[in-house]
Amino acid sequence: MKAEVIWLVALLFLGVAASGCIGGTGTETQAPSTEVQLTGDFTKDVIEIGKVLEANGINEVKFSAWGSGDPNSVMRVYGIVEAARRINRIWEENGINVRIVITETHYVASFQDAYKDYLSKQPLGQAGDFFVNSYAFLPTLAEEGYILDITDYAYAYKGLIDDFYPSLIEASKYKGRLYGLPQDTEARPLYVRKDVAEKIGLDVNSLPEKVKNGEFTWSDVYYWAKKAKESGAAEWGLIHRKGSAHPDLIQFIFAFGGKLYDEETGKLVVDVPAVYKWLYVEWKFAQDGLLPKDIMSWDWAKQIHPTIVEGRTLFDIGGTWYWTEWQTKQYYHGRGLKPEEVKDWFAYTLFPAGEKGLKPVTLSQPFVWMINSKAGQQNPKYDELKDVYHKLAFLILVKASDPDINAIHSVISAHLPVRKEAAKLIKDEKWLNNLKNLNLDLDQEVKENIKDIVKATVNPINAQFLADVSYMLEYTHFAPAHPKYPALADIFKEAVDKVLRGEMTPKEAVDYIIQKVQADPELAQNVEIVGEIPENWTFP
């Protein structure tokens, strides 16, 4: 009897213990959370994400950053590195044993090539977790589901979103949803070589105001370019960029009063009168020897920039970023220019009106930081923690948008700041001095990669240049954020090349564009052909 009682007690004990193991209330074990709600309090959100990762056994999170552009714009990837460091510091200060590692900073010169590479690698899961590129590619990437819709995340960070210039936030949207945060923007001035202008009697001091008033048009550009060439003051009258007609040369369409997009129909537009006038100007300049016929295939470093900085052209269609690129690259007889030389040698204006009665223009192509829709997939427990990894990626973008990071990028690359707080910072002389000495709280890897650019570019002259060109944003246009626009831009590029080389007349080139559009069923559905080639129109 005594033995039976002992046996029953033992069974009862085992039963209680077993019930605890399978979910009873005595010794219940909770599964770690895999969810985080963003609150808009950055430190609080970062700590919460860190705790969730740590509780799930994650101590290291790997991301990669892909970027592209001119040599001075490397903060497009190192901004992500610096943001990761700042988040790691918050975790460390709060005793959270998790660390972000940026495994790759992939940076290439051609943003078109970077885009094509991203497109090809994305389906394979090999594209970067962060991708900074032109807003023009955003619609296609969003349509394909390749980038993350961050609209809901951004609701919690309304204060940050409101500090961006509204037009740039709009450029980061597709079908009303936010797919990235602006990284930079710019204007595209017409540069004028001062010493060449002086030789031929062109007053550059009054030029910006005349251009603003529409008194100096592309007929005047032609007149002075021809005078510079025929007098021997310069080898060329005009140099412009090469490659895709997007985004630089399409300024001609706007300068001739045309449009590229129909808001009502949502279709792209081939505005025949404006496109014809653009191609005619290109053709005329090239046929008269004022613009190289083969410039669309010129080498950037060996031909285009040296021709400009050596004073072998009167005019140049460029970007604000040229201002500091000329200071850091060896374009001038094997060396970079000093800030004082750039200031002394170059004047700058808006892109002139196409003809009397029209307005000057400029064009901006905001770069946008986007998040791969598979961001974080190389990390453990991706399926369980996908939402946490994505929210962490968003917070990295938030931190990479800190005013000082954006201001550093603006000063060293001559791009315009995207946040009002960053615009204030570049006017702060004390902060500029600290930047010049790299006396800022920055990751050592970041400092190492920007020190030569900083040494060459951080100068009050460059800050003043940014202030001087900011007004141009009041005249700015954007290329259409339409998935089929890159295809149309490529056709424009081919047409420009053919008229420059004299292979087609401007009229034949317009017909070529129309035929190419109509031959592509998708383009034909998305493009309107409007207007006729103007009769009896003359240039100059």
Side-chain angles (χ1 to χ4, degrees), residues 69-71 109-112 186-189 191 238-249 251-252 282 291-292 294-298 300 304-305 308 315-322 325 363 365 367 415 493 496 500:
D70 61 281
S110 168
F111 67 92
Q112 293 99 338
E186 76 294 291
R188 286 173 163 73
Y191 288 104
L238 173 69
I239 293 293
H240 66 48
R241 303 187 78 208
K242 65 163 186 172
S244 172
H246 169 79
D248 305 89
L249 304 180
Q251 289 179 107
F252 277 109
E282 299 265 11
L291 172 65
D294 58 349
I295 195 163
M296 298 295 273
S297 61
W298 271 29
W300 287 108
I304 292 179
H305 284 295
I308 302 164
F315 295 112
D316 167 58
I317 301 171
T320 52
W321 64 93
Y322 278 20
E325 184 174 343
L363 188 131
Q365 181 189 209
F367 263 49
H415 284 87
K493 176 191 68 177
V496 170
L500 286 172

Side-chain angles (χ1 to χ4, degrees), residues 3 12 50 71 75 78 86 124 185 195 220 233 236 265 318 330 335 375 396 408 460 462 499 507 509 512 521:
L12 180 62
M75 285 301 287
Y78 289 111
R86 294 181 183 190
L124 304 174
T185 192
D195 51 352
D220 299 295
W236 302 103
T265 64
Q330 316 304 307
R335 71 170 175 86
I396 291 175
I408 292 169
N462 297 336
V499 295
K507 181 180 182 307
Y512 172 82

